[in-house]
Amino acid sequence: MTLMTRFDSATTVTKVGSGHYTAQLDGGYLIGAALNGGYLMAVLQRAALLEAERPHALAVSSSYHFLRPGAGGPAEVAATVLKAGRTITTVQVTLYQNDKPLVSGLIAIAEFDAAATPVYQSEPVEIPPIEQCHRLDPRERQAENADFLERVDQYYSPATYELLGDPGTEKSPDLRGHVRLSELDGGDPEDPTLFLPLAIDALPPVVSALLPWNWAPTVELTWHMRAVPEAGPLAFHARSDTVADGWFDETVDLWDTKGRLVAQSRQLARIGR
């Protein structure tokens, strides 16, 4: 029997009626004064999968708008199936706290063959193995995020680690390394696909390579699942095309330990103030 990890417990939702779920949001996933958006997406995905009544289904496409910051404590999820087809089920989800919407999303759900191999896949960028990367130690930097960094282990390539410690506007917003759930919390969840929404948004804002590290609120984020991940750390590559007028875009790719592209995301965010 697999023991429930802290992540599994923190993302659990309980059905209390048709399209109505409750959750207890874990304040340990705070980034500054707001809960991490990836954590909130993971909670919403759990509700969508239950509402779709496809226990072996996987979220293949998700688009979210972030309306208000969330805090630790009770919350509610409204989930509505907009279409239930033979291949794809589309579910609209909204997370509420204190009767106010925090995050609203649209999730397309379909079956995935874990043994499928890609017809074509671009070569991943060069990322050193995890043992050659530097772990972001919550005791060294960003003490206010210590609880989050103790839940989600982050390892950065030597060049990336230097950027985080010494940002500069002449440098390139490009971060590389590995991310995984903390081994102290039990490691991989029972279903590794449930970690993808958090993993895709767990990293410092890519503008941290250019500007001092600060909370950068996401306005909209879309991510796609591309394959069923193997258990273990995920390699990441985050980058930005344009940083201008207080806004920036961020693209993140995730690969599993077999070198398969398992998730991609694109978001628009504000530069932290």
Side-chain angles (χ1 to χ4, degrees), residues 63-239:
S63 180
Y64 298 90
H65 286 266
F66 293 82
L67 309 174
R68 293 177 177 83
E76 298 183 344
V77 178
T80 303
V81 175
L82 301 182
K83 178 184 178 182
R86 288 183 295 177
T87 303
I88 297 174
T89 299
T90 303
V91 184
Q92 186 172 33
V93 289
T94 303
L95 179 67
Y96 293 88
Q97 201 166 47
N98 299 320
D99 295 324
K100 295 181 179 180
L102 306 183
V103 186
S104 183
L106 200 61
I107 303 177
I109 300 170
E111 300 286 347
F112 252 94
D113 180 0
T117 57
V119 175
Y120 168 80
Q121 177 179 292
S122 61
E123 289 296 321
V125 299
E126 184 176 347
I127 301 173
I130 192 170
E131 58 269 16
Q132 295 179 16
C133 293
H134 297 279
R135 180 173 181 264
L136 192 59
D137 190 335
R139 294 169 297 181
E140 294 180 1
R141 302 180 189 169
Q142 301 300 312
E144 65 178 7
N145 299 336
D147 287 345
F148 182 82
L149 292 176
E150 288 174 354
R151 284 163 169 75
V152 184
D153 290 339
Q154 301 177 31
Y155 296 79
Y156 291 86
S157 69
T160 291
Y161 197 74
E162 290 180 6
L163 279 178
L164 292 177
D166 184 26
T169 54
E170 77 283 358
K171 297 174 181 176
S172 174
D174 186 291
L175 305 178
R176 307 181 188 195
H178 302 263
V179 60
R180 68 182 180 191
L181 287 171
S182 171
E183 293 183 331
L184 296 177
D185 282 351
D188 298 308
E190 187 173 356
D191 179 356
T193 66
L194 297 176
F195 176 51
L196 292 178
L198 173 56
I200 208 79
D201 194 43
L203 312 174
V206 72
V207 291
S208 299
L210 304 176
L211 305 167
W213 198 348
N214 202 344
W215 178 56
T218 300
V219 176
E220 189 275 339
L221 185 151
T222 297
W223 76 274
H224 304 292
M225 179 175 168
R226 306 310 310 275
V228 178
E230 285 289 307
L234 300 170
F236 67 80
H237 178 211
R239 67 270 188 202

Side-chain angles (χ1 to χ4, degrees), residues 22-47:
T22 59
Q24 186 68 28
L25 302 182
D26 185 341
Y29 290 89
L30 285 167
I31 302 293
L35 285 170
N36 171 260
Y39 166 63
L40 299 180
M41 291 191 298
V43 173
L44 287 171
Q45 179 166 305
R46 293 284 291 268

